[in-house]
């Protein structure tokens, strides 16, 4: 079955510290992988995406993610967190089948300590 | 930002009443989706559309119906609202070019009392 697991419901980091949010997926075919961010009361904004090629992808706001096929993981990282990064982060997986649906993880809420 | 408008933004309704949520896009994208967001569940797909009058069910479609009579509009109807349908509903669109992501509207917060 296709699924996405984000094992951390909440993560708290200090401003300026590094960040890694975990994402594991189960998908039968070559996956397309995405990270989205959601600020309170807002819709989801795309941070970055992976389709093929270089397994380290760069996104907006200084985020990057690394695709590791052997571990079925697509972890999101940022070297130095800013207070404005506090939000909820969602990992999603999809593929180029006939429906092009995305399956989302349950999200990780990031809190940033001043 | 992708041109997606959801209406209403907030709605409170009573159990047993029908409710229709509207998603309007100005991007002329072929694919449109309705997701619901609940704590601990992330986003779950309700229904999606791959063209005018072409729709299909997602993983949580029971109690919901959709219609798409024009490319730009995708309607979600709760036929008889229940308290379990209290949620935040998001519309998304996609151009379905290779690897194109979904773009989301700002959501509709629905409360069923």
């Amino acid at each position: 079955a296709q699924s996405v697991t984000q094992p951390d419901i909440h993560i708290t980091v200090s401003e300026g510290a590094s960040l890694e949010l975990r994402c594991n997926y189960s998908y039968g075919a070559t996956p397309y992988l995405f990270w989205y961010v959601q600020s309170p009361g807002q819709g989801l904004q795309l941070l970055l995406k992976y389709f093929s090629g270089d397994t380290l992808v760069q996104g907006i706001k200084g985020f990057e993610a690394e695709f590791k096929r052997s571990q079925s993981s697509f972890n999101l990282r940022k070297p130095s967190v800013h207070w404005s990064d506090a939000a909820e982060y969602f990992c999603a997986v999809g593929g180029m089948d006939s429906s092009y649906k995305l399956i989302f993880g349950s999200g990780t809420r990031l809190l940033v300590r001043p | 930002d992708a041109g997606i408008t959801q209406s209403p933004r907030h709605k409170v309704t009573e159990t047993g009443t029908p409710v229709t949520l509207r998603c309007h896009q100005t991007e002329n994208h072929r694919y449109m989706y309705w997701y619901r967001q609940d704590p601990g569940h992330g986003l779950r797909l309700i229904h999606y559309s791959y063209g005018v009058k072409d729709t299909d069910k997602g993983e949580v479609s029971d109690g919901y119906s959709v219609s798409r009579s024009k490319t730009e509009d995708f309607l979600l109807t709760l036929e008889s609202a229940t308290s379990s349908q209290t949620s935040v509903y998001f519309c998304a669109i996609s151009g379905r070019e290779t690897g194109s992501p979904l773009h989301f509207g700002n959501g509709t917060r629905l409360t069923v009392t």
Side-chain angles (χ1 to χ4, degrees), chain B residues 42-64:
Chain B
L43 282 82
R44 293 179 291 175
L45 182 65
I46 305 171
H47 283 279
Y48 64 98
S49 169
Y50 45 95
V52 173
K53 298 186 179 180
D54 292 323
T55 65
D56 205 349
K57 296 178 180 180
E59 61 179 309
V60 290
S61 59
D62 287 348
Y64 301 95

Side-chain angles (χ1 to χ4, degrees), chain A residues 91-103:
Chain A
C91 181
V93 65
M96 285 300 287
D97 60 10
S98 60
S99 63
Y100 195 52
K101 297 175 287 190
L102 288 191
I103 300 166

Side-chain angles (χ1 to χ4, degrees), chain A residues 36 38 51 90 97 100 102, chain B residues 33 35 37 96 99-100 102:
Chain A
Y36 286 84
Q38 184 182 32
F51 305 138
F90 293 93
D97 60 10
Y100 195 52
L102 288 191
Chain B
Y33 308 80
Y35 284 85
Q37 183 179 27
R96 203 181 181 271
S100 59
L102 271 58

Side-chain angles (χ1 to χ4, degrees), chain A residues 27-39:
Chain A
Y27 199 79
T30 300
Y32 295 151
L33 294 156
F34 306 85
W35 275 99
Y36 286 84
V37 60
Q38 184 182 32
S39 298

Side-chain angles (χ1 to χ4, degrees), chain A residues 38 44 90 102 104-106, chain B residues 6 21 33-47 58-64 76 78 81-92 104 107-112:
Chain A
Q38 184 182 32
L44 278 74
F90 293 93
L102 288 191
F104 285 82
S106 55
Chain B
Q6 292 186 233
L21 309 182
Y33 308 80
W34 278 107
Y35 284 85
R36 61 178 287 175
Q37 183 179 27
D38 305 287
H41 291 279
L43 282 82
R44 293 179 291 175
L45 182 65
I46 305 171
H47 283 279
E59 61 179 309
V60 290
S61 59
D62 287 348
Y64 301 95
L76 176 71
L78 287 65
T82 67
S83 58
S84 65
Q85 294 175 312
T86 293
S87 186
V88 180
Y89 292 86
F90 285 98
C91 174
F104 286 84
T108 294
R109 182 173 295 277
L110 176 68
T111 302
V112 183

